[in-house]
Amino acid sequence: MDKQQAEPQQTSDHDKMLRGSAWMTAGSIFSRILGAIYVVPWRIWLGAAFLTANALFTKGYQIYSVFLLISTAGVPGAISKQVSHYNAMGEYRTGLRIFKYGAIAMTGMGVVSCALMWLLAPVLALHDPALTAVFRSLAWPLLLIPPLSIMRGFFQGYNEMAPSAISQFIEQLARVAYMLLMTFSIMRLGSGDYVAAVTQSTFAAFIGALFGLAILVIYFFGQRHKFTELIDNSVDSLNVPIKRILLDIVHQAIPFIIMDSAINIYYIIDQYTFNPMMMRFYQTTTHQLDEIYALFAGNANKLIMIIVSLAVAMAVTALPLLSAAKTRGEMKNVSDQITNILQLFFIVMIPAAMGMIAIAQPLYVVFYGYDSLGIKMLAIASVLAVLLGLFSILATILQGLFHNKLAILEMLIGMGVKLLTQMPFIYWFSVYGPTLASMAGMLVSCVLMLHSLRGRYHYRFHQTLRRTAGIFLFSAVMAVVVGLIVFGMSHLLNPASAVASMITILIALPVGVAIYGYAVLKTRLADLVIGERVGGLRRRLHIS
């Protein structure tokens, strides 16, 4: 009986994860692409000031990201987890109350965070007037992001990923449109002050948040009849006090703050240690180091986050499903979901990262112009992207299964490795040191988390290892072929030309997708990981 009932549930959850991942991946990918494409005209209009402006922009966003995480207090993940937990029990009214009182609390948090960032801006900027102005322009979005985030968490708790994905895309579209309009107005029609252009570019986050919030409000009122019907049929066997609701939100949110800020803290470590450590070992200037910092923390990071967003999308989708399965006590379902999530991650993330390594040169040139050091940093950062993505997935799985303390401990161990290796790696590997130290830290955390999940839930480790080996082999073949195409095209066309680089990408990328796609379809690896629906695609492509 248990086996017969568990199987449909597992299939249903697997389908939900695939549908949710598709929505969140689409939203994340298009948003990240928009967030990278704007660099092309932005770089042209800023001209010779681009690298200095980009370093200023990057430093502003690193600190803003931490304030953003604190102001939202980990609420999207916490709300998603709590709402799905109570929904699994039929307590829909309690889930709605969590959303209502959480929204009130988070609006207050937004006001406090905005005020703090405004007041602390000079101190955080080390009294740099330009950076102070950037920090203060980024204080305003903190008013809107908390209510926006809590609405996304509420929808995700119902496994409704479309509103989050669409609002994310609209938010990014409005942000990019405003920053490009203002940058053009200042640099080409106005004063030409790059600090003013960067300040308006960072203030664009407020404009984006305004549009994203509006989309979610429209969705919420459009589905109010659905929520009303569910509440009318709520079990209502629980009468959770308001104080308990808020304490539960805080209790669940704090680990999300810590875990979600981990990647940002890695980059903040680089922001405050890179220049002093480099000056200790090498003869250089602050200006040169700021430009190099922009290459890996700004340029390379912006591009690799396109593929890291694939993992974040999967993690967001998996969180409510895992929490609900754990609440129902379906341990086999939990084990199967962990296996599915990991294998889905590897089948997407490994070829994406290796493909980015193969096209690193033309990709970098299209967005930032030719820079041999920047190209090498992008290739190395593409490897880091796999570890950042895996960390995001594993941390979310542990939190979704209520292992918050364990997740934090294993994250802190990895961060300790980052801190310990930062100076020696900068000494040994110069400008590549920070990225390699981040790899070391993330690798340690990921290994510890995989070991913990295997010991507690007995996911299919050996099966995952075998399939990942196959994915890596197919990805490596694809990357070699694509790399050869890029190498050949660089001898036929000017490798420093953005137009020639775009032509190279348009030729090499489809070849890479075709090689990898054919390999995983021909061997049925895609069927095993994604599901039998892939068989229809194989038949349409006449792959036997």
Side-chain angles (χ1 to χ4, degrees), residues 136-423:
R136 285 183 166 167
S137 72
L138 285 166
W140 296 108
L142 297 174
L143 291 172
L144 299 181
I145 296 294
L148 184 152
S149 298
I150 202 168
M151 291 193 76
R152 283 178 178 161
F154 178 73
F155 280 116
Q156 289 161 14
Y158 278 84
N159 293 304
E160 291 276 353
M161 302 299 167
S164 290
I166 293 171
S167 71
Q168 189 177 13
F169 176 73
I170 296 298
E171 177 187 354
Q172 188 74 302
L173 185 65
R175 184 182 80 90
V176 168
Y178 179 86
M179 69 185 296
L180 289 182
L181 175 64
M182 295 307 295
T183 300
F184 180 80
S185 299
I186 292 168
M187 299 303 296
R188 292 301 169 93
L189 304 178
S191 63
D193 180 2
Y194 78 87
V195 174
V198 172
T199 302
Q200 287 300 316
S201 295
T202 48
F203 178 75
F206 175 82
I207 304 299
L210 189 64
F211 277 82
L213 182 60
I215 291 294
L216 288 173
V217 169
I218 292 170
Y219 263 101
F220 183 81
F221 283 103
Q223 296 192 30
R224 65 186 183 278
H225 298 300
K226 169 190 169 181
F227 298 132
T228 301
E229 184 179 344
L230 287 170
I231 290 166
D232 288 341
N233 293 295
S234 180
V235 173
D236 289 341
S237 62
L238 297 176
N239 184 19
V240 186
I242 296 173
K243 183 179 179 181
R244 168 74 183 279
I245 287 174
L246 293 176
L247 286 175
D248 280 349
I249 291 173
V250 172
H251 182 259
Q252 294 297 329
I254 290 174
F256 280 95
I257 296 175
I258 297 170
M259 298 304 294
D260 290 350
S261 63
I263 294 175
N264 297 106
I265 292 173
Y266 271 65
Y267 282 109
I268 288 172
I269 290 171
D270 293 338
Q271 180 168 323
Y272 286 101
T273 63
F274 179 66
N275 283 18
M277 289 183 181
M278 284 292 294
M279 285 181 167
R280 182 172 181 175
F281 300 125
Y282 300 95
Q283 293 294 323
T284 183
T285 66
T286 300
H287 179 72
Q288 288 174 325
L289 291 175
D290 282 344
E291 291 191 343
I292 293 171
Y293 174 81
L295 293 182
F296 71 86
N299 298 2
N301 181 53
K302 195 177 295 293
L303 292 176
I304 67 167
M305 289 309 290
I306 294 175
I307 54 177
V308 172
S309 66
L310 294 170
V312 174
M314 293 177 202
V316 167
T317 305
L319 179 62
L321 296 175
L322 284 167
S323 297
K326 181 74 178 284
T327 300
R328 293 189 297 261
E330 299 168 353
M331 292 302 104
K332 183 181 183 302
N333 190 358
V334 170
S335 175
D336 290 342
Q337 283 193 54
I338 294 172
T339 304
N340 292 334
I341 293 165
L342 289 175
Q343 293 182 11
L344 184 61
F345 167 79
F346 287 123
I347 202 170
V348 173
M349 195 70 179
I350 290 177
M354 294 187 74
M356 184 169 278
I357 294 171
I359 63 168
Q361 177 177 302
L363 184 65
Y364 192 93
V365 171
V366 166
F367 285 99
Y368 302 110
Y370 189 87
D371 187 306
S372 59
L373 179 59
I375 293 166
K376 292 173 186 173
M377 285 185 164
L378 175 58
I380 295 172
S382 298
V383 179
L384 174 62
V386 178
L387 294 171
L388 294 179
L390 183 58
F391 173 83
S392 299
I393 287 279
L394 295 172
T396 301
I397 290 173
L398 284 170
Q399 289 173 283
L401 295 172
F402 305 95
H403 296 298
N404 296 330
K405 291 180 180 178
L406 180 63
I408 292 170
L409 174 63
E410 293 175 340
M411 179 273 285
L412 290 174
I413 292 172
M415 193 169 290
V417 172
K418 160 72 172 175
L419 289 168
L420 288 173
T421 56
Q422 184 83 342
M423 183 176 287

Side-chain angles (χ1 to χ4, degrees), residues 349-521:
M349 195 70 179
I350 290 177
M354 294 187 74
M356 184 169 278
I357 294 171
I359 63 168
Q361 177 177 302
L363 184 65
Y364 192 93
V365 171
V366 166
F367 285 99
Y368 302 110
Y370 189 87
D371 187 306
S372 59
L373 179 59
I375 293 166
K376 292 173 186 173
M377 285 185 164
L378 175 58
I380 295 172
S382 298
V383 179
L384 174 62
V386 178
L387 294 171
L388 294 179
L390 183 58
F391 173 83
S392 299
I393 287 279
L394 295 172
T396 301
I397 290 173
L398 284 170
Q399 289 173 283
L401 295 172
F402 305 95
H403 296 298
N404 296 330
K405 291 180 180 178
L406 180 63
I408 292 170
L409 174 63
E410 293 175 340
M411 179 273 285
L412 290 174
I413 292 172
M415 193 169 290
V417 172
K418 160 72 172 175
L419 289 168
L420 288 173
T421 56
Q422 184 83 342
M423 183 176 287
F425 277 22
I426 286 177
Y427 175 73
W428 292 327
F429 305 109
S430 184
V431 295
Y432 306 108
T435 303
L436 295 174
S438 295
M439 283 187 202
M442 282 292 169
L443 180 61
V444 169
S445 289
C446 289
V447 169
L448 290 173
M449 289 176 176
L450 284 168
H451 179 72
S452 296
L453 287 170
R454 186 185 181 191
R456 285 166 175 78
Y457 296 100
H458 310 291
Y459 67 89
R460 294 189 289 277
F461 174 78
H462 292 292
Q463 181 195 86
T464 302
L465 197 62
R466 288 195 304 272
R467 291 178 181 177
T468 302
I471 291 166
F472 182 83
L473 177 62
F474 298 147
S475 300
V477 172
M478 173 270 293
V480 168
V481 174
V482 170
L484 289 172
I485 293 173
V486 170
F487 179 78
M489 294 293 289
S490 68
H491 286 76
L492 296 175
L493 302 172
N494 180 9
S497 164
V499 174
S501 295
M502 179 58 72
I503 293 171
T504 300
I505 292 172
L506 292 175
I507 293 173
L509 196 58
V511 173
V513 171
I515 290 172
Y516 180 75
Y518 179 83
V520 295
L521 289 172

